[in-house]
Amino acid sequence: MAAEMGHFDATSSGVHPWGRPHCWSVQQIVEHLVLSMDHTAATLEERLAKGRPDRYSSRTRAEWLMQLMVLSAGHMPRGVGATDETTPPRRMPPMGVHELTQRLESAIERVDATFEQSRHRFGMERIGRHFLLGPLRVDQWRRYHVLHLRHHTEQVIELRETLSVEVLHKARVARV
């Protein structure tokens, strides 16, 4: 992700593709990832503080199927909206790539440390519930976040390509 973000500066990281505010900018994508990891860390830290995994560790058939699709097959479904907790603000002050990268790396380090503590404390039990996938073990939480990061890295690549095409198109129109 850091390599892809290197293609952006503080101004371009806040640009929405084709000027559509409902489409996330790079900065909003990073913020979403940070919020997602922070939310997971907070959920697992709550379980650690209580000293027990989530009481509701059984899965529904739909959750089992989603876990199979996402965690086993590695397919992140498109079009699933973010939860309120993980939705980035519509307007954000511009941040440089270095600051965005640091925020993302800090979130990864925090959630990873929480995963380590949770694994040590609860082993292979399902410890916390994901809003779509249901109750997950630590290894499943890790897999989810790796796939989630990869999914959004692909979006950043698409965004870079979209912005490049948009800039080229504007230059052509200006010459005519």
Side-chain angles (χ1 to χ4, degrees), residues 99-114:
E99 187 179 355
L100 289 172
T101 303
Q102 283 184 323
R103 283 186 47 72
L104 188 56
E105 287 173 357
S106 294
I108 290 169
E109 288 169 7
R110 177 183 175 209
V111 78
D112 191 53
T114 308

Side-chain angles (χ1 to χ4, degrees), residues 92-150:
M92 298 177 67
M95 277 188 242
V97 175
H98 181 70
E99 187 179 355
L100 289 172
T101 303
Q102 283 184 323
R103 283 186 47 72
L104 188 56
E105 287 173 357
S106 294
I108 290 169
E109 288 169 7
R110 177 183 175 209
V111 78
D112 191 53
T114 308
F115 287 152
E116 287 299 319
Q117 291 173 348
S118 299
R119 172 58 73 120
H120 179 72
R121 183 82 179 264
F122 302 121
M124 291 297 286
E125 292 185 65
R126 293 185 189 119
I127 54 174
R129 182 170 286 281
H130 182 273
F131 82 101
L132 183 65
L133 304 176
L136 301 176
R137 301 182 313 258
V138 171
D139 62 310
Q140 292 174 315
W141 276 110
R142 281 186 197 273
R143 173 97 170 124
Y144 165 75
H145 279 289
V146 166
L147 293 169
H148 190 221
L149 184 64
R150 185 176 72 195

Side-chain angles (χ1 to χ4, degrees), residues 6-142:
H7 295 283
F8 295 87
D9 59 19
T11 302
S12 63
S13 70
V15 173
H16 299 275
W18 302 112
R20 296 179 179 151
H22 66 279
C23 296
W24 287 351
S25 66
V26 170
Q27 190 172 340
Q28 288 174 310
I29 290 170
V30 170
E31 186 66 17
H32 164 69
L33 289 167
V34 167
L35 291 170
S36 177
M37 286 182 247
D38 285 351
H39 183 68
T40 297
T43 298
L44 300 186
E45 287 165 356
E46 180 182 325
R47 304 300 348 141
L48 286 164
K50 290 184 178 185
R52 62 175 160 55
D54 195 334
R55 288 184 214 179
Y56 307 103
S57 63
S58 61
R59 298 177 289 192
T60 66
R61 185 171 190 81
E63 290 169 341
W64 180 82
L65 287 168
M66 289 301 296
Q67 286 182 16
L68 187 65
M69 181 177 80
V70 174
L71 303 174
S72 298
H75 175 74
M76 288 291 285
R78 289 187 175 261
V80 176
T83 62
D84 289 342
E85 298 89 4
T86 65
T87 300
R90 284 179 145 299
R91 302 211 187 283
M92 298 177 67
M95 277 188 242
V97 175
H98 181 70
E99 187 179 355
L100 289 172
T101 303
Q102 283 184 323
R103 283 186 47 72
L104 188 56
E105 287 173 357
S106 294
I108 290 169
E109 288 169 7
R110 177 183 175 209
V111 78
D112 191 53
T114 308
F115 287 152
E116 287 299 319
Q117 291 173 348
S118 299
R119 172 58 73 120
H120 179 72
R121 183 82 179 264
F122 302 121
M124 291 297 286
E125 292 185 65
R126 293 185 189 119
I127 54 174
R129 182 170 286 281
H130 182 273
F131 82 101
L132 183 65
L133 304 176
L136 301 176
R137 301 182 313 258
V138 171
D139 62 310
Q140 292 174 315
W141 276 110
R142 281 186 197 273

